[in-house]
Amino acid sequence: MAVVNRDPLTAPHRTRNDAFLAVGVAVLALVLASLTDDGRPLGPPGWALLAGAHVPLVWRRSRPLLVLLAVAACVTLYHALDYNHAVPIPATLVALYTVAATGTVRRSLLTAVVVLGPTLIINTFTNPDGALELLRISGWIIAVLFFGVDARFYRQYVASIVERAERAERTREEEARRRVVEERLRIARDLHDLLAHSITLIGVQTSVAAHVLTADPDRLDRTAVAQALDGIAHTCRTARGELRTTLEVLRENETGVGFARERERVAAPGSGSSSGSGLGSSDGRGPLPGLDGLGALAEAARVAGAKVELSVHADGVPPSVGAAAYRIVQEALTNAVRHGGRDDLTVRVGLRTAERTLRVTVTDDGAGQGTSRGAGQGHAVSGAVRNGAGHGQASGGAPGFGLVGMRERARSVGGTLDAGPGPTEGFHVTAELPLPREEPS
């Protein structure tokens, strides 16, 4: 079967193998010459013509047509001299099969016409009464050519199957690489959203505590210091819980069950509306964040000194869309608190569903830069935190990944996001996230 499947024109060691085949066919001819008596006994011219018909078979796959012509010339003269007619039949059939197996159907038909014509003419003159013999010879020629064409079609069919299997394997490998890249981007977004938000809040609250301690040592506001330190501790617990949840999902993915457990966690009652802030467990772990966690985000921003107006009118939001909206609002609030540049910063957060779309808007009235410091807790953000960098820009002046991450969050659920400075002041973030008709189970 492997010999049939292999392309005869590209098979390795084909000349050597064809030499062995030519020797085998010659041995078969000798056997037929000794066992049959269908014509004159072989003399020196007959043996020479017989050898001339077998030697070209060594190059039958390299030059199939030339080999057939050489074999046909020798065999035609051999039969014209009325030597044993059965002896050269194997060599003739091998040459005919090679032409059909390596060429096109048109070439095989032309070969049949060219071979059958002289054969029938010669047999008509040498054996006028042998109509049955003519039919037998024609049948063998047509059968061999048909077998060669069928073998060629079968090889093409097997080659197409192998090519499709290889293409499917390449597609699977490309899909696996694409999934790895997407997973790395998802991990980077999760870690960026978590760490950037938490570190910004910790920086703001540390600035509050430092300002209260140094502003007026004689009238130390211990309550404000304690509140700032409690806020730092709460932010650390929240970040630790979300980080642990993220790392647990990654470990589960490595064992092949992470996606199933994550789907179970998302599909669990209340998972789509959890804040992910760790308030529901003693060690700070919780389910994936959702719209109900927006209140905790707003409260954390208020502790950092911003006035947050939160308006949520959204029903029937799937967990995946809710988690994307949560991260977008989280990053937008982080940017507003970090880069707002004014002491009386106001941030308006709105979420509303309409026409199977969740619309998310986050607008602030920040100035983009600011170095002033107030005396109270809400005005105690230092220039080290609000250093004049624009939205989506790191504190050192290098571009950050906040806006890129928000757009990727929106695209991950099939939505869009626009972000940019307002017409007069502040910064505006608008996202439209489509709501699927059915949440997959």
Side-chain angles (χ1 to χ4, degrees):
M1 186 60 66
V3 175
V4 177
N5 294 340
R6 184 181 300 143
D7 188 355
L9 298 179
T10 59
H13 312 295
R14 58 181 182 271
T15 302
R16 184 192 64 185
N17 296 337
D18 288 341
F20 291 146
L21 177 64
V23 172
V25 174
V27 172
L28 179 60
L30 294 176
V31 173
L32 291 175
S34 61
L35 296 179
T36 61
D37 185 13
D38 186 16
R40 295 169 50 193
L42 288 173
W47 289 112
L49 291 174
L50 197 62
H54 287 79
V55 170
L57 294 180
V58 176
W59 300 278
R60 69 183 186 93
R61 282 186 279 191
S62 302
R63 297 290 188 270
L65 282 177
L66 293 179
V67 169
L68 178 62
L69 291 176
V71 172
C74 294
V75 170
T76 301
L77 187 57
Y78 176 92
H79 286 300
L81 296 176
D82 199 25
Y83 288 117
N84 192 333
H85 297 289
V87 175
I89 289 178
T92 306
L93 296 182
V94 170
L96 287 172
Y97 168 81
T98 303
V99 171
T102 58
T104 62
V105 177
R106 178 182 300 177
R107 192 176 77 174
S108 300
L109 293 176
L110 292 176
T111 301
V113 173
V114 172
V115 173
L116 281 175
T119 302
L120 295 178
I121 293 173
I122 293 174
N123 277 273
T124 301
F125 287 104
T126 58
N127 188 13
D129 299 329
L132 184 61
E133 181 69 14
L134 292 177
L135 183 62
R136 182 177 65 84
I137 294 173
S138 302
W140 273 107
I141 294 175
I142 294 174
V144 170
L145 292 174
F146 179 81
F147 181 70
V149 172
D150 183 70
R152 186 173 65 88
F153 283 155
Y154 179 75
R155 281 197 306 271
Q156 292 177 348
Y157 171 72
V158 172
S160 66
I161 292 178
V162 172
E163 194 275 334
R164 285 197 298 268
E166 292 175 350
R167 186 169 61 247
E169 182 65 23
R170 289 194 301 269
T171 302
R172 283 193 295 268
E173 293 176 356
E174 293 172 358
E175 178 69 13
R177 287 194 293 268
R178 185 185 64 82
R179 290 182 179 274
V180 169
V181 172
E182 291 180 351
E183 184 67 10
R184 290 177 60 185
L185 290 176
R186 186 188 68 82
I187 296 170
R189 287 195 299 266
D190 286 342
L191 293 179
H192 174 271
D193 293 343
L194 170 62
L195 297 178
H197 178 74
S198 302
I199 292 173
T200 297
L201 293 183
I202 291 173
V204 172
Q205 291 159 347
T206 304
S207 301
V208 171
H211 177 77
V212 172
L213 289 173
T214 59
D216 193 351
D218 297 333
R219 293 184 299 176
L220 180 62
D221 189 349
R222 297 181 181 275
T223 302
V225 174
Q227 185 177 357
L229 295 178
D230 287 340
I232 293 173
H234 174 72
T235 302
C236 291
R237 287 193 301 269
T238 301
R240 183 185 63 186
E242 290 195 24
L243 184 59
R244 183 177 299 178
T245 301
T246 302
L247 296 179
E248 284 178 350
V249 172
L250 295 180
R251 292 191 181 98
E252 290 169 355
N253 288 343
E254 291 176 357
T255 61
V257 299
F259 288 113
R261 293 185 181 179
E262 186 174 0
R263 284 196 297 268
E264 293 175 1
R265 186 163 53 246
V266 171
S271 64
S273 60
S274 172
S275 66
S277 60
L279 298 176
S281 61
S282 60
D283 60 355
R285 286 179 291 180
L288 296 178
L291 298 186
D292 281 359
L294 297 178
L297 291 179
E299 183 61 29
R302 293 188 185 103
V303 172
K307 178 183 178 182
V308 180
E309 299 176 2
L310 178 63
S311 174
V312 180
H313 301 281
D315 298 322
V317 178
S320 58
V321 179
Y326 176 92
R327 294 302 188 188
I328 290 172
V329 173
Q330 182 185 48
E331 180 62 27
L333 285 176
T334 301
N335 286 341
V337 170
R338 186 179 184 184
H339 307 298
R342 56 187 299 172
D343 298 333
D344 55 345
L345 178 68
T346 300
V347 184
R348 296 176 178 84
V349 180
L351 289 90
R352 183 180 301 273
T353 54
E355 300 179 355
R356 306 301 304 172
T357 300
L358 175 62
R359 183 178 177 85
V360 181
T361 58
V362 181
T363 304
D364 66 68
D365 58 357
Q369 65 179 14
T371 57
S372 61
R373 302 182 186 179
Q377 178 182 342
H379 305 276
V381 181
S382 68
V385 177
R386 292 180 180 168
N387 59 357
H391 281 262
Q393 192 174 21
S395 60
F401 299 99
L403 298 182
V404 175
M406 286 192 289
R407 289 193 175 93
E408 290 176 349
R409 288 284 183 186
R411 283 198 299 267
S412 68
V413 293
T416 59
L417 183 139
D418 294 324
T424 57
E425 62 179 2
F427 201 81
H428 299 266
V429 176
T430 302
E432 293 186 356
L433 311 178
L435 302 177
R437 298 190 178 276
E438 291 185 3
E439 180 72 0
S441 58

